[in-house]
Amino acid sequence: MYYLEMNDVKKSFGDLEVLKGISLTVSEGEVVSIIGPSGSGKSTLLRIATLLETMDVGNLAYMGQYAVTMEDRHSVYAKTSQLKEIKKNFGLVFQSFNLFPHKSVLHNIIDAPIFVQKRKKAEVIEEAKELLRQMGLEDKADYYPCQLSGGQQQRIAIARALALKPKVLFFDEPTSALDPELTGEVLKVIKGLAEQKMTMVIVTHEMSFAKNISDRVIFMDKGVVAASGTPEEVFNSDNARMQEFLGKLKND
């Protein structure tokens, strides 16, 4: 059973066809990086996978539970109660952190497990403190987001997502809003999660990171999967579009 399964996903915005039949499976403990030029459909695919955007065609399942099925050539979403249960399987870390500015670091982490998952407060607080320790931020529990650097805020966002105990953790360009010197500290945390066999799907523009951390790399271009395989297979691919993409990155 796959942790995540997406089949023949299609999505258009008006006359613009953004996804042209994307299929993706992710197994337990697998790290999948999605790369590609701007406008290739990477973030749209992630938003569809995390139910922030609807698909036109295709299906979507977590742990064998279908959030979206196909009927009469159209996607049909499960009932709200079913989707609520399915959403417990994944977490999402945004590129812009999305922390609550009026809440302390600790409350940013503990509120959803306590109020949404109805877990015991004392247990959640202890787990939150351990997550802060893992992030190297154990002394920041009472700080507010505005008192932290971008790299620290992103690590808090990761801790907040992990506090919900997701089966799959998604990252949408987790370092794109950071200065280069802060990028390293966030990538180090994600690398640590990979070593702990956390199942992750990462949309990233950090090519060396994708190459070093991933079990599988997917190169998207113009709404399709243009290349897919191990990091070695994809980065050494003779796919002309892939080589053109890498060449542009080197010249930037």
Side-chain angles (χ1 to χ4, degrees), residues 33-124:
S33 288
I34 302 175
I35 63 173
S38 297
S40 59
K42 307 184 300 296
S43 289
T44 300
L45 181 67
L46 213 66
R47 288 179 62 80
I48 285 173
T50 54
L51 300 171
L52 293 173
E53 187 67 68
T54 58
M55 65 179 83
D56 301 326
V57 175
N59 54 43
L60 166 66
Y62 283 92
M63 314 296 292
Q65 286 184 292
Y66 277 88
V68 189
T69 54
M70 280 290 293
E71 291 181 23
D72 297 326
R73 299 183 184 179
H74 291 285
S75 292
V76 177
Y77 279 73
K79 294 177 181 177
T80 303
S81 58
Q82 287 175 279
L83 291 177
K84 188 176 178 181
E85 285 300 307
I86 289 169
K87 284 178 181 179
K88 294 177 181 177
N89 288 305
F90 62 81
L92 173 60
V93 178
F94 299 89
Q95 55 184 284
S96 54
F97 324 138
N98 283 23
L99 298 174
F100 295 113
H102 60 290
K103 292 187 177 183
S104 69
V105 162
L106 185 66
H107 277 279
N108 263 281
I109 297 171
I110 67 173
D111 279 9
I114 292 171
F115 297 112
V116 178
Q117 295 183 332
K118 309 298 183 186
R119 287 162 52 200
K120 293 179 182 176
K121 185 174 182 179
E123 174 188 300
V124 171

Side-chain angles (χ1 to χ4, degrees), residues 21-42:
I22 301 282
S23 295
L24 170 67
T25 58
V26 182
S27 300
E28 180 181 3
E30 192 174 20
V31 178
V32 178
S33 288
I34 302 175
I35 63 173
S38 297
S40 59
K42 307 184 300 296

Side-chain angles (χ1 to χ4, degrees), residues 189-201:
V189 167
I190 300 173
K191 186 171 186 284
L193 293 174
E195 290 168 354
Q196 296 170 32
K197 296 298 180 184
M198 180 75 204
T199 308
M200 294 185 285
V201 179

